[in-house]
Amino acid sequence: MWFVWMITGLYIITPFIRQIVKVPQLIKYYLVMFVFVTILVPTLRYMIIPYTNISRSEWVAKIFTNIDTMNFKFFLGFTGYFILGYYFDTITLSRTRRRIIFLLGILSFPFGIYANEYLTLFCGATTPFDDSFSITSFLQTIFIFNIFKYHSGWVSKKISCKIITSFSACSFGIYMVHILIRQLLDRYFALNAESFGMPVIIVPLLSLLIFLIGYVISFIFHQIPILKKYVV
């Protein structure tokens, strides 16, 4: 239930965030610090450097120690993603920048999969690039957001808005039931990441299946007034 507490915390500090987003330069400054402190530093510190010879360097250790001492907690956590969504919603990206974002976003999916596999098999890591603040998750978040913003016109705008609104309304319910769905699929149908020995194929398909089942369940809950009001 960490997600619920995280959202609650964001709502509590929203009045302060409003003051930041009123000033365009302040938004950019915050996002630059967020990317540096929350995305780049942890990616280097916990996902790349520990598995290279650089980890033995004293000056590298001193750099990270000094960063910790600076106490950049104000820029840590999901607040950055919250502000990042607002930023991309209020600006219009050029075609070139969109293409760069889409290219990096698409490449981040296979990179994350194979980097996780390599680090897990040969370095004893535990899927570090699945972390919410890894560089791959960051690029995928930007990619997916802008795909919906600029390329949802493959169906009529009215229909696409209805689809997005429906997914948005059901998202909390999907989150609430997705673990149960995953456990039931594993227990009764033996469907998990290791099924058929092809995780590269089964993981995306299983994720899609869990999402669709969760959406149907959440949608049904929304049709029941008392569940809609107090549960989802």
Side-chain angles (χ1 to χ4, degrees), residues 143-153 160 163-164 167:
F143 165 70
I144 293 171
F145 184 95
N146 285 287
I147 278 287
F148 276 98
K149 179 177 180 179
Y150 293 104
H151 296 280
S152 58
S160 64
I163 293 173
I164 294 172
F167 283 161

Side-chain angles (χ1 to χ4, degrees), residues 98-119:
R98 272 182 266 166
R99 286 175 177 172
I100 293 173
I101 286 174
F102 296 159
L103 176 62
L104 292 175
I106 291 170
L107 292 177
S108 69
F109 285 97
F111 173 80
I113 292 171
Y114 288 109
N116 275 333
E117 183 177 5
Y118 177 83
L119 292 176

Side-chain angles (χ1 to χ4, degrees), residues 49 52-61:
I49 288 179
T52 66
N53 291 329
I54 302 176
S55 61
R56 299 185 180 93
S57 173
E58 291 186 7
W59 66 267
V60 171

Side-chain angles (χ1 to χ4, degrees), residues 60-72:
V60 171
K62 285 184 179 180
I63 289 175
F64 288 123
T65 299
N66 290 334
I67 291 174
D68 289 340
T69 305
M70 290 180 185
N71 199 17
F72 282 122

Side-chain angles (χ1 to χ4, degrees), residues 172-192:
F172 183 67
I174 295 171
Y175 167 76
M176 293 289 286
V177 300
H178 82 280
I179 293 296
L180 177 61
I181 296 170
R182 190 180 71 180
Q183 291 175 344
L184 292 176
L185 288 175
D186 185 23
R187 179 180 300 177
Y188 295 106
F189 301 97
L191 285 176
N192 54 58

Side-chain angles (χ1 to χ4, degrees), residues 79-155:
T79 307
Y81 280 124
F82 198 31
I83 296 176
L84 189 68
Y86 174 85
Y87 176 73
F88 278 114
D89 187 53
T90 54
I91 66 169
T92 300
L93 292 171
S94 67
R95 189 179 296 271
T96 301
R97 291 184 177 181
R98 272 182 266 166
R99 286 175 177 172
I100 293 173
I101 286 174
F102 296 159
L103 176 62
L104 292 175
I106 291 170
L107 292 177
S108 69
F109 285 97
F111 173 80
I113 292 171
Y114 288 109
N116 275 333
E117 183 177 5
Y118 177 83
L119 292 176
T120 301
L121 293 176
F122 298 104
C123 302
T126 54
T127 61
F129 284 95
D130 285 346
D131 186 84
S132 301
F133 301 107
S134 69
I135 188 66
T136 49
S137 296
F138 174 73
L139 293 173
Q140 290 160 15
T141 300
I142 297 175
F143 165 70
I144 293 171
F145 184 95
N146 285 287
I147 278 287
F148 276 98
K149 179 177 180 179
Y150 293 104
H151 296 280
S152 58
W154 55 276
V155 291

